[in-house]
Amino acid sequence: MTPRPKPTRSACFQPDNYVDLALFANREELLSDLVERLKSVLEPGGPGQARILVRGHRGVGKSILTRKALDTVISSPGALRVIVDGAQTGHGPDAVLKRIAADLGREATENANDPALQKGAELLQRFAALTKVSVKEVRQWSRNIQLGATVKSKLVESVQVEFGISGAAGRVRTVEESYERAVDADFLRDKVQDFLSDCRAAGEHVVLFVDNLDQVGYAEIEEDVRRVTDLAKAILGFRDCVVVANLRTEFVSADLRKLYSNEVVVKGLEPEELLRIAKTRMGTAGPDKRLALKEAGFEKLAAKLASWTTNAWGYLSWLADLDYERIDFPPDDGDRLREALLRIAENRFAGLRGEEIRRVAAAFKHAPHQFLTGVELDTHGVTQELRERALRYGALVPDWLLSPDRYMLSPGLHFLCEHAAGQAP
């Protein structure tokens, strides 16, 4: 495959950049709500523990919103902050819990002063680095870290009991040195919880944010989806800390909503809000690149496209893709603009032909944010076989992955619909 050329103008739109908080725009009401929830928990005399589920469809801006809120609340030392990105951890519960244990241990090592917490942090990091551990190894650690009876720690005591180390307040059991224990998700979940309890006992607030939790599994594999939903329950089940988890709506089961009703629902944006986001990102380009964008009519393009969707990721993806293209038509020529985006979509949704993309989108022509049933899609010529392929390649989004009964159009295809703006789900 021929490498894609460099952008002809700016590379400023960055639809997948949710880390640079200088790019944050809009969402002031939601931001204020989330900030106040966090402050009320973390302020002196506050409970110090809460579970907050931030949910919404892909690309509505969950990640940058939550990161901005955390940055606003925890801008100075006073709480241990751990941010784990499911897009970076690798797949499966083991990988996520290992990252949580490692990062929590590292954060406590750097910022907690309590000697017992320091020892617990060292233990967590050592466990996180292994897939299995022997009694012999843990006993050696105990000597090196000096985990004696004087160390008052729930984590240390649980390790002493499990691995038969003296000093566990008379609860030592006989364990062969050759015994090995798998360092899996269940083991790490228990050890992380013990350490969180130790942090609370030592007066340390902990804020744990797990972003992109849905990306630790493959959406098209049923068993992966179950693992993700079970992992969400486990993470939101942590006590003695503030847990914030981001999850796409189609991964959120009914029982998860019942268990954790403290949720923030992130919806779509109005055209003027999307345009403000585009202008913010164009403003990060240098003078020459801003001039190139202006000459190509990108501000007018941005205004036109903002009326075609409410989804920030889909919107910025269109602008980012057009940044590679020669714009040889007036920015307000909607037909030519749609043709250009359709050519791009045929590459993005490579498992579908252009005619099939049009057929799928046509079913949602007047209501791109609404869910349609399989029966309704059948009437538009979107057969079960086409639905399955459209799901596989991301052109359709199910209401619930484990039992897809209704389907919504991918925001990347909203340009083929009418009146998308103002219908944010």
Side-chain angles (χ1 to χ4, degrees):
M1 180 182 293
T2 304
R4 194 176 193 187
K6 291 184 178 180
T8 55
R9 300 173 192 88
S10 72
C12 69
F13 296 105
Q14 305 179 65
D16 296 313
N17 185 347
Y18 48 80
V19 176
D20 184 357
L21 298 183
L23 299 176
F24 180 82
N26 300 310
R27 299 293 192 194
E28 294 304 327
E29 186 175 338
L30 266 181
L31 176 63
S32 177
D33 175 35
L34 188 50
V35 165
E36 288 307 311
R37 292 192 199 204
L38 292 168
K39 280 184 176 179
S40 67
V41 174
L42 294 170
E43 65 186 6
Q49 57 181 344
R51 303 159 181 172
I52 302 173
L53 173 64
V54 181
R55 68 175 179 89
H57 294 295
R58 180 190 181 186
V60 294
K62 300 182 296 296
S63 294
I64 197 166
L65 166 70
T66 311
R67 289 168 184 265
K68 180 69 173 178
L70 289 172
D71 186 71
T72 301
V73 173
I74 315 172
S75 56
S76 59
L80 303 181
R81 177 171 56 174
V82 178
I83 297 178
V84 173
D85 190 341
Q88 308 293 331
T89 60
H91 280 69
D94 289 8
V96 177
L97 267 299
K98 280 180 182 293
R99 183 65 63 87
I100 290 173
D103 290 0
L104 177 57
R106 190 176 304 112
E107 174 74 3
T109 297
E110 295 173 359
N111 295 301
N113 297 318
D114 185 87
L117 283 185
Q118 290 286 328
K119 293 180 186 294
E122 175 71 17
L123 267 180
L124 266 188
Q125 291 176 85
R126 292 192 181 210
F127 283 130
L130 301 173
T131 56
K132 59 183 179 179
V133 64
S134 69
V135 169
K136 184 177 181 180
E137 286 175 295
V138 177
R139 287 177 177 171
Q140 182 61 51
W141 297 350
S142 179
R143 290 189 289 271
N144 293 344
I145 308 175
Q146 299 180 334
L147 303 180
T150 57
V151 179
K152 304 302 180 185
S153 162
K154 188 173 182 178
L155 172 61
V156 170
E157 183 177 339
S158 72
V159 169
Q160 289 173 332
V161 170
E162 184 163 358
F163 291 91
I165 300 170
S166 59
R171 296 168 57 199
V172 179
R173 63 191 182 107
T174 302
V175 184
E176 293 292 330
E177 277 205 339
S178 59
Y179 167 75
E180 286 187 329
R181 173 67 163 88
V183 183
D184 55 15
D186 290 339
F187 177 87
L188 289 167
R189 183 193 62 223
D190 292 343
K191 298 301 174 272
V192 166
Q193 181 58 70
D194 287 341
F195 187 69
L196 290 170
S197 298
D198 287 339
C199 288
R200 185 171 176 82
E204 292 280 1
H205 285 316
V206 178
V207 178
L208 169 62
F209 170 42
V210 184
D211 197 5
N212 294 312
L213 186 52
D214 46 86
Q215 293 191 37
V216 306
Y218 294 106
E220 64 271 21
I221 300 176
E222 181 174 326
E223 190 55 37
D224 269 19
V225 176
R226 294 190 187 280
R227 288 194 187 101
V228 169
T229 55
D230 287 345
L231 180 59
K233 292 176 190 175
I235 289 172
L236 286 164
F238 280 135
R239 306 177 306 280
D240 302 315
C241 67
V242 176
V243 185
V244 184
N246 279 6
L247 198 59
R248 273 162 45 192
T249 294
E250 60 265 31
F251 281 84
V252 180
S253 60
D255 59 338
L256 190 61
R257 291 182 191 179
K258 284 182 183 177
L259 284 169
Y260 308 109
S261 58
N262 187 11
E263 65 177 13
V264 175
V265 181
V266 184
K267 297 184 178 182
L269 292 160
E270 296 297 323
E272 61 272 15
E273 295 172 320
L274 290 172
L275 183 56
R276 201 173 304 132
I277 290 173
K279 288 180 176 180
T280 298
R281 302 209 173 200
M282 285 190 280
T284 66
D288 292 344
K289 292 179 178 180
R290 286 202 302 273
L291 179 60
L293 289 167
K294 182 178 180 180
E295 290 176 343
F298 260 74
E299 188 162 323
K300 290 183 178 178
L301 279 174
K304 184 74 173 178
L305 292 172
S307 67
W308 290 1
T309 189
T310 64
N311 186 278
W313 173 83
Y315 175 67
L316 290 172
S317 293
W318 296 341
L319 288 167
D321 285 332
L322 289 169
D323 200 14
Y324 287 84
E325 303 293 320
R326 183 181 173 203
I327 308 297
D328 56 0
F329 52 85
D332 57 355
D333 187 337
D335 291 338
R336 297 281 299 280
L337 182 53
R338 283 189 173 91
E339 288 175 9
L341 290 173
L342 183 59
R343 288 195 299 271
I344 293 166
E346 287 174 356
N347 291 322
R348 185 180 289 274
F349 302 96
L352 300 171
R353 298 188 303 275
E355 177 274 326
E356 291 175 322
I357 292 173
R358 284 184 179 277
R359 199 189 326 158
V360 169
F364 299 87
K365 186 174 183 179
H366 300 293
H369 300 291
Q370 308 244 339
F371 283 101
L372 297 181
T373 66
V375 172
E376 289 171 318
L377 289 173
D378 279 333
T379 65
H380 291 275
V382 183
T383 64
Q384 182 174 346
E385 186 276 332
L386 179 53
R387 288 199 297 274
E388 289 174 354
R389 279 193 294 121
L391 279 173
R392 189 180 316 130
Y393 293 105
L396 285 178
V397 178
D399 60 340
W400 167 225
L401 283 166
L402 291 181
S403 181
D405 176 57
R406 300 184 305 152
Y407 307 84
M408 188 173 70
L409 187 66
S410 164
L413 295 175
H414 285 179
F415 67 90
L416 291 170
C417 303
E418 297 176 0
H419 312 300
Q423 299 178 19

